[in-house]
Structure formats: structure tokens, C-alpha cells
Amino acid sequence: NAGVMQNPRHLVRRRGQEARLRCSPMKGHSHVYWYRQLPEEGLKFMVYLQKENIIDESGMPKERFSAEFPKEGPSILRIQQVVRGDSAAYFCASSKRVPGQGAGANVLTFGAGSRLTVL
Amino acid sequence: SQELEQSPQSLIVQEGKNLTINCTSSKTLYGLYWYKQKYGEGLIFLMMLQKGGEEKSHEKITAKLDEKKQQSSLHITASQPSHAGIYLCGADVGSGNTPLVFGKGTRLSVIA
């Protein structure tokens, strides 16, 4: 039973290019979360999705960033026109239940992360 | 402002020594989660605490929740090199469908 799968593990882009990060949740999990980790800043929540719906995108920059979780296929975090400040590790996590509802609802299973470097 | 403060930021201990990491929330805690991250890897779930006074143990790691102080501590007994890594606390700070917020982490090194 594979865990949360993220790809690519490492991605290098030049300024102005697009970055697409993919995440396949754990089998049986229908809730996906994206977090960004910068050195010295910790893990910051970006967006929470269920199949075909964005539930909470309060942590995602309004411009250049978008996320989707289609009915079929992985969740995708898309960064357009990347800048050097976008260089970070992007982690995807999944869970079975809605956050806050039921014991252990927020036990997130994390992927190994995608490390984006913008040159 | 940071909702979850972890201390210390980093820690170097000699193998065999005990250590404690603290996590304090500026908001009401509805649940507290401890994760461990090795360099270049994802986060591994360690323990979840939900009730005031709750204490859980896994091997040589014990976590406690002080609901009144909005604080949790993670204690490692007789540390080993395998304990090295970054320990992050995550918390439910909203009563609704609020995803976890995380502290900045505590980087633990264990030296022989």
C-alpha cells in the first residue's frame, strides 16, 4: 500500500517558467493538502482540496499559484512564471477525513516532498 | 505572528542523554500532533494528543499535553543517533475544517 507519492522529487526551473508538482494521495484518502517549507520558516499551509473542489486556499498566493484535484488523477500544484522566492520544498499530505471532524481527523500522511529550485 | 512556538530551535545532545522539546500555542488547542522529519524527506507521524493531561509514549519518546497552558512537550529518554532529525508540532487551532498549522521545528543532533 503505497503512501503519498509526489513527483518530481527535484525540479529546476528558470525564472519565468512554469512548475507543476504532482501528488497522488494515499489509497482511501480523499483529502489533499499542500504545504510549503522554507528554511527557517517552517511548514506553511497553502491549500486544502477534496476531489474536484478547493476547500481552503487561504495560504496560497493569489497570483501565479493554482491547485487542482481532478476526479481522476493526481492533485497538481501549478506555479506560473516562477521567481527565485518560489524555491522551496513543497509537501503534499493526505487524510481520510475532514479536518476537525472525528478523532485523528487531522492525522496527515505526508509525501517525501518536491524540491523546487528557481535559477 | 507565529501560532505555534517551538523551543529550542536546535539541540545537540550526547548519545544516552534525555531531552525535552516544547511546543506552545497562542490559540486554543483542539488537538496536538508531533511529527519527525529527516533531512530531505517528508514528515513521519509520531503521536497525537487531544485531551488535557493526555500522555502517550512510543518506544523512548513520550509526549504530554497541557491544555490549560496550551502547551505540549516531547521527551526523549536515552537518546540515540536514530533520534536525530527535525521535530515539528502541528495543531488544530480552529473548531471547524481547519488544516493543521505547524511550528518551525526543533533540529535535534545526537552525538556519540
Side-chain angles (χ1 to χ4, degrees):
Chain A
N1 183 15
V4 176
M5 304 302 291
Q6 287 190 249
N7 68 81
R9 290 292 309 276
H10 301 275
L11 183 63
V12 179
R13 286 286 178 265
R14 296 192 181 279
R15 280 180 296 169
Q17 291 184 319
E18 179 179 288
R20 282 194 182 214
L21 310 177
R22 293 173 195 79
C23 169
S24 295
M26 202 161 167
K27 191 175 180 181
H29 288 189
S30 58
H31 305 271
V32 166
Y33 312 79
W34 285 94
Y35 285 82
R36 177 164 65 176
Q37 187 176 43
L38 286 161
E40 310 305 323
E41 286 193 20
L43 208 59
K44 299 291 186 187
F45 166 74
M46 298 181 74
V47 61
Y48 158 43
L49 311 102
Q50 287 180 265
K51 283 285 187 183
E52 302 184 276
N53 287 308
I54 295 176
I55 307 301
D56 182 347
E57 56 182 347
S58 58
M60 199 154 70
K62 295 282 186 284
E63 296 178 355
R64 302 188 298 107
F65 285 73
S66 62
E68 62 176 12
F69 188 15
K71 189 176 179 182
E72 301 291 337
S75 174
I76 295 174
L77 180 68
R78 183 182 176 206
I79 311 172
Q80 295 178 289
Q81 299 173 334
V82 295
V83 300
R84 288 216 174 107
D86 296 332
S87 296
Y90 292 84
F91 288 95
C92 171
S94 69
S95 71
K96 271 188 185 180
R97 283 176 274 186
V98 178
Q101 295 190 10
N106 255 333
V107 176
L108 305 182
T109 302
F110 280 83
S114 291
R115 279 152 186 82
L116 172 66
T117 301
V118 180
L119 302 176
Chain B
S1 63
Q2 189 72 18
E3 288 173 312
L4 284 181
E5 293 284 347
Q6 283 189 241
S7 62
Q9 290 185 347
S10 63
L11 194 54
I12 302 173
V13 298
Q14 200 161 19
E15 186 176 353
K17 297 293 185 186
N18 303 337
L19 64 108
T20 300
I21 298 169
N22 293 302
C23 174
T24 304
S25 174
S26 60
K27 296 186 177 182
T28 301
L29 286 171
Y30 294 92
L32 195 290
Y33 303 72
W34 284 100
Y35 285 82
K36 180 185 175 185
Q37 183 182 25
K38 292 211 163 182
Y39 181 73
E41 297 179 15
L43 280 70
I44 305 296
F45 171 72
L46 294 175
M47 275 173 279
M48 172 187 70
L49 303 163
Q50 289 196 299
K51 300 173 187 174
E54 189 173 11
E55 180 175 322
K56 286 188 178 177
S57 293
H58 175 68
E59 298 179 345
K60 293 185 177 179
I61 301 176
T62 301
K64 299 179 188 178
L65 178 64
D66 186 331
E67 206 170 41
K68 286 181 183 175
K69 290 184 181 177
Q70 297 178 175
Q71 191 175 69
S72 177
S73 60
L74 185 84
H75 184 77
I76 299 177
T77 304
S79 58
Q80 299 168 356
S82 60
H83 288 128
I86 301 172
Y87 289 82
L88 293 102
C89 62
D92 284 322
V93 292
S95 54
N97 301 342
T98 312
L100 291 186
V101 295
F102 284 88
K104 290 186 180 181
T106 295
R107 186 179 295 271
L108 172 64
S109 301
V110 180
I111 54 175

